[in-house]
Amino acid sequence: HGAAHAEQAVTETDLGGFYPHTGIVRAWAAIIAAGQGRWRTAREHLDASRHHIPLPVFADQSALAAAAIAQARGDHHAMLEALQPLQAGPLEPYDPDHLTPTATWPTHMFWPMWTEALTTTGHLDRATEALTHLTHLSHHIPLLRTITAHATGQLAEAHGDPTTALTAYHHALDTPPL
């Protein structure tokens, strides 16, 4: 159903003249198509999303879509490359009451992918920093708790600690999504 809804949203955005939303709608359609292995369609939507100037709060959507396509293809180096421009500054603790004017939403979507990309490409020190930030986010955004537990397991595995990894993976399975 996700693919049908995504294509319907693309059509409605195009027909309705909702030009400022075209980039985000196309980015989400690319993510859904990539998850289904429809690579040509994913690439077409990604390319279309990059040709529209997004609203500032959705400025990261094309990069996230490119990273999702790379993730679905198992290309973690391309995933890291797609996300790199979004990580321009130093890490700061998440504070929903004091977001900077340059903050983009949904920044919470970036951190799980960033942590995975760093872990799977061997940047373990940076992955540890990213996981710390993701953990902070998960205290404020409950839906991130499962992926934070999974990312903890991935990082422990990358460090050669199967006991901690197994504990984290069990925690991920036992964590309710909300």
Side-chain angles (χ1 to χ4, degrees):
H1 295 309
H5 289 294
E7 295 301 329
Q8 180 181 358
V10 167
T11 301
E12 288 178 11
T13 301
D14 290 346
L15 292 175
F18 299 113
Y19 185 77
H21 300 286
T22 301
I24 188 169
V25 169
R26 291 288 189 151
W28 278 100
I31 291 169
I32 291 168
Q36 296 174 330
R38 296 183 300 124
W39 308 121
R40 185 177 50 92
T41 302
R43 177 55 62 186
E44 289 170 0
H45 285 305
L46 176 62
D47 291 345
S49 78
R50 290 177 169 162
H51 286 75
H52 295 278
I53 298 170
L55 297 170
V57 295
F58 299 124
D60 59 354
Q61 294 303 297
S62 290
L64 290 171
I69 291 169
Q71 181 185 41
R73 294 183 76 93
D75 187 347
H76 294 104
H77 289 284
M79 185 179 172
L80 181 64
E81 185 178 320
L83 294 170
Q84 191 72 42
L86 299 179
Q87 180 50 49
L91 301 181
E92 297 176 14
Y94 175 77
D95 182 354
D97 297 324
H98 297 95
L99 292 177
T100 64
T102 58
T104 57
W105 187 92
T107 55
H108 68 278
M109 292 175 54
F110 166 79
W111 292 100
M113 296 176 80
W114 181 242
T115 304
E116 178 183 339
L118 291 169
T119 300
T120 56
T121 57
H123 297 82
L124 301 186
D125 288 342
R126 291 174 65 199
T128 300
E129 290 176 13
L131 180 59
T132 299
H133 194 79
L134 179 58
T135 302
H136 272 293
L137 285 173
S138 72
H139 295 303
H140 299 284
I141 305 171
L143 64 94
L144 290 178
R145 292 180 184 148
T146 301
I147 193 63
T148 300
H150 183 262
T152 301
Q154 282 185 312
L155 189 57
E157 213 174 328
H159 278 293
D161 184 354
T163 304
T164 301
L166 187 59
T167 300
Y169 291 141
H170 280 293
H171 182 69
L173 293 172
D174 294 339
T175 301
L178 295 177

